[in-house]
Amino acid sequence: MDEATKRLEEFERIWKKPVIRIGSITVLLGGLFAFLPSLYLWLRYGVFPPLSMALKAWGMIAAAFGAFYIVEPISYYAILGLSGTYMSFLSGNISNLRLPCASMAQEVTEVKAGTPEAEIVATLGIAGSIITNLIGVTLAALLGYALIRLFPPAIADAFKVYTVPAIFGAVFGQFSLRYPKVAVFGLGIPLLLLGVLKGIPVWLVIPASVFGSIGIARIFYNLERQRR
Amino acid sequence: MSPEILKIANSFGVWVLAAVTVSMVLIQAVLFTRLAYTTADKIGYPREKCRQAFRTGLITAIGPSIAIFIVMVGMMSVVGGPITWLRLSVIGAAPTELTAATVGAQARGVEFGGPNYDLLALATSWWTMAINGFGWLIIVSLFTHKLEDIREKIGGGDPKWLAALSGAAMLGVFGYLNTSHVLAGGGRLIAVATGAIAMVILLKIAERAKWLREYTLGLAMLIGMALAVWLG
């Protein structure tokens, strides 16, 4: 057994196994605990949607988001990795917080993508973003009404409307710098599907963009290897 | 909506129960941070780099967290403070949660936040948000380790290809996320384009001025926002 395989097997034992144990338990508990306030309304005030209404609401929301339950974890996995997936899905705000913070942490530490070190660095970047986010939402919950008046309406509107596209554009810029050729397809595929062809459901567009871009990257990668 | 309903939604018991879920997120973050540090020690990865990674996450999250803060205050006035706190700490992003809360009201047959939005409608909204979030969490809890097996197979132990693969996945995801803003045109298109250009320029500058690296994404976001307001 060579040194590299030995190192990976060691990493498997000291990292992956405990990550799976911590991750699967905390994610499941988080999901279950989220029902507590609904139970409280039932036990304290005797109010709970009757079965027919509960099922109707469930059916409607599953029709809207059900496909994403499966598509998103698969599509984001190559970026978030093992611990990143458990953390990001429990804490949410994946595209506007977790993915940008994980990739910035890797950029700043100049770690090689796809290595054990990269996974540790991404985990810490996401952990840092969770702390900032928890402080933010807790402040909002406790002092939101008082603090919101501190923002002039024009600035509040700018944050509301433009933060998301600006950060999405910036992350795209960051990776275009590294893989400019793939970037053309990364934006081209969804633009073609949503802007030109239209009518294609969004839950199909996400995997088409992700796995389409991965396929294109593989072709470029093979071409480059042949050239050497 | 009557103030009575909002009073129940903001009652102390709901705060306590919401805190249970929110602390789960915090506990998980602490556990993974500790594991990351001990693993870094074992494989000989410097602590300084670990701290730098954590700090970068803290800083980069500030801008988006302000945006979440502003959206959150709006949502609190309809479904209450504690449940909004819970929903935006766990899995949810505001648009998803607002959709689920609206669907709950529709199943009850009333308008979300309207005058007929009663306690039963509130309960149905809360139930719908919880069951919707649970959809993602149960899949992630049960199947994430299987995804790792798949990645190892596709990656084939070639670190260079693994790096290209996650870069391509990132471009695919963010290409898709940018599309609706690009198609919308106007200020949102300007925010995407100038955010991207600003990021490329800042990263080029940061090659020389290393201290700038941790702030590049936050700065690029602010530049994109400012230009969108100015030109849009």
Side-chain angles (χ1 to χ4, degrees), chain B residues 5 13 45 49 66 105 175 189 192 206:
Chain B
I5 307 282
Y45 189 67
K49 292 270 183 190
I66 294 177
L189 172 60
V192 167

Side-chain angles (χ1 to χ4, degrees), chain A residues 34-115:
Chain A
F35 285 97
L36 287 176
S38 301
L39 285 178
Y40 177 79
L41 283 188
W42 182 34
L43 297 174
R44 178 80 204 275
Y45 299 97
V47 183
F48 193 78
L51 189 64
S52 66
M53 203 187 289
L55 288 179
K56 190 176 164 196
W58 186 18
M60 283 163 79
I61 202 66
F65 292 113
F68 293 96
Y69 302 164
I70 298 161
V71 164
E72 286 188 347
I74 295 175
S75 305
Y76 292 171
Y77 192 83
I79 313 164
L80 292 168
L82 194 58
S83 54
T85 298
Y86 289 120
M87 296 173 96
S88 300
F89 280 91
L90 183 62
S91 58
N93 284 299
I94 296 173
S95 55
N96 54 340
L97 267 180
R98 313 307 162 203
L99 291 174
C101 289
S103 71
M104 267 326 281
Q106 293 181 337
E107 180 95 38
V108 167
T109 52
E110 295 174 310
V111 74
K112 256 193 228 144
T115 57

Side-chain angles (χ1 to χ4, degrees), chain A residues 168 172 183 185-188 190-191 194 209 213, chain B residues 169-180 182:
Chain A
F168 287 174
F172 194 82
F185 294 89
L187 187 61
L191 266 182
L194 289 172
S209 317
S213 302
Chain B
M170 200 76 176
L171 284 166
V173 168
F174 279 85
Y176 154 72
L177 290 169
N178 277 311
T179 298
S180 63
V182 169

